[in-house]
Amino acid sequence: MMGYSPKSFEAVRANRQPLLDALAALAITQLVVRYEGGGDSGDVSELEIFPESLAQANIANTLKVEQLTYHCLADEYQDGEYRYFLQEQQSSIDSALRDFVLTWVDAHHGGWENNDGGSGTMTINVTEGTFRLEHTEYYTECSNYEYDL
């Protein structure tokens, strides 16, 4: 995962349907991806699979093995600046899901993992074909008081 680029939104759009198709092929009806971070690092912390009977059938291992064509965000340094582009590659569904959510959150909240950080969930309702990202930013609030006597 790299920093924000306008290409981030393009990557999210390009990967939406391939992810839906891959999850539907595995009979997954809904998938929730949780992420969290702070202090300059962040990552996916949990994948929750529905229906629960699939989760109990060890489908998480299948997600690590099954491959799909994924459009990852890549960059190259040229003429004193980074140029971003999409690059097709074979990826496990698990890796693609992790990259997808972090690319999507970074597109809206670049640097979300810095300082106090943040957390959130991405819910894919495979049956309805919808994606929802819910993000929380953390910050330290302080109050200063001065008194003279």
Side-chain angles (χ1 to χ4, degrees):
M1 229 319 280
M2 65 183 61
Y4 168 78
S5 159
K7 289 280 187 186
S8 297
F9 290 106
E10 189 177 331
V12 169
R13 285 189 295 276
N15 289 306
R16 183 184 186 284
Q17 195 61 48
L19 284 171
L20 273 176
D21 294 343
L23 296 173
L26 295 172
I28 295 172
T29 58
Q30 182 173 300
L31 185 120
V32 178
V33 180
R34 290 182 174 74
Y35 63 91
E36 57 188 31
D40 301 334
S41 67
D43 206 349
V44 169
S45 57
E46 178 184 16
L47 273 70
E48 189 175 3
I49 300 163
F50 298 94
E52 288 183 13
S53 60
L54 284 177
Q56 295 166 354
N58 212 9
I59 194 85
N61 283 336
T62 303
L63 293 176
K64 293 177 181 173
V65 174
E66 290 291 320
Q67 300 282 304
L68 64 96
T69 300
Y70 186 75
H71 298 85
C72 66
L73 190 58
D75 68 4
E76 64 184 12
Y77 189 74
Q78 190 176 63
D79 299 327
E81 66 182 28
Y82 283 98
R83 298 182 195 277
Y84 296 92
F85 57 95
L86 296 185
Q87 181 176 337
E88 272 190 18
Q89 69 180 31
Q90 287 301 114
S91 175
S92 71
I93 298 169
D94 182 81
S95 292
L97 285 165
R98 291 168 186 276
D99 186 75
F100 183 87
V101 69
L102 296 177
T103 298
W104 195 12
V105 71
D106 208 44
H108 288 285
H109 303 279
W112 66 271
E113 74 282 7
N114 295 327
N115 303 318
D116 290 346
S119 66
T121 60
M122 175 186 68
T123 303
I124 302 173
N125 186 320
V126 180
T127 307
E128 295 179 9
T130 60
F131 287 65
R132 180 176 193 84
L133 179 64
E134 298 178 52
H135 179 73
T136 301
E137 291 181 356
Y138 302 130
Y139 63 93
T140 301
E141 183 176 323
C142 63
S143 299
N144 294 312
Y145 303 94
E146 291 184 23
Y147 303 96
D148 291 321
L149 183 59

